[in-house]
Amino acid sequence: MIFGRRTPELPTPEQALKGRPEPEFTLPSRHTVLGNPLAGPYPEGFEVADFAMGCFWGAERKFWQTPGVWTTLAGYQGGSTENPAYEEVCSGLTGHTEAVRVVFDPAVVSYEQLLKVFWENHDPTQGFRQGNDVGTQYRSAIHTHTPAQAATAQASRDAYQSVLTASGHGTITTELLPAEGRPFYPAEPYHQQYLDKNPAGYCGIGGTGVSCPIGVAKA
């Protein structure tokens, strides 16, 4: 079985679990910290960004603590299984990452500044793992919503690779792919703002200690 192999491996669409047409739960209406709607509607002019950087509990907290972020959701993205359950994602048979959707006001925080939070708060060189968390669901990924986001993300990846290399780190393995065709499926209610509900809960993310340069591309 794929999840029983020593080295994690992404399933093909044919190997992936089939999932279901609708989620098996109702998403909470509002963010427990920010107080804003999780699933919208979102204010006009706000933007959406999707990031995967290991366990989504700690990653989501990093973004809701960022000024200018309006709401955040923990979820699953980048795989083949429709409306996956957490246990299915952890099996390695869906192909999804543990992702965070960030809704933000670009007049307060730029996409480029969110990328800085992303790069500096995990190790993007580890492939299918993040620290002691091993599995395809823990891989690093950015799913972009516009050509401008894609260009900015690519420029920031190149800039961060330069400083990582100079500091003795390896090659960035972060997937950089369009969000189109890769739906974001919100995770179960107990995952949403998990570290607000469980302040002493597990947080597996940690950066390389290398600062990410910003101002590398127009947002």
Side-chain angles (χ1 to χ4, degrees), residues 147-167:
Q149 282 191 2
T152 303
Q154 178 67 62
S156 72
R157 182 173 67 178
D158 293 346
Y160 198 44
Q161 182 65 72
S162 295
V163 295
L164 283 177
T165 300
S167 299

Side-chain angles (χ1 to χ4, degrees), residues 100-180:
V100 177
R101 171 153 288 182
V102 180
V103 180
F104 66 101
D105 181 354
V108 179
V109 62
S110 68
Y111 183 66
E112 200 168 45
Q113 290 169 318
L114 295 179
L115 285 165
K116 183 177 175 66
V117 174
F118 169 79
W119 293 121
E120 292 184 354
N121 286 284
H122 77 302
D123 185 343
T125 70
Q126 294 192 324
F128 292 151
R129 67 179 300 157
Q130 195 60 214
N132 292 326
D133 293 332
V134 179
T136 58
Q137 72 271 29
Y138 299 118
R139 69 190 186 275
S140 176
I142 302 170
H143 293 99
T144 59
H145 288 262
T146 65
Q149 282 191 2
T152 303
Q154 178 67 62
S156 72
R157 182 173 67 178
D158 293 346
Y160 198 44
Q161 182 65 72
S162 295
V163 295
L164 283 177
T165 300
S167 299
H169 293 273
T171 301
I172 289 174
T173 59
T174 303
E175 294 177 350
L176 207 172
L177 298 166
E180 184 177 2

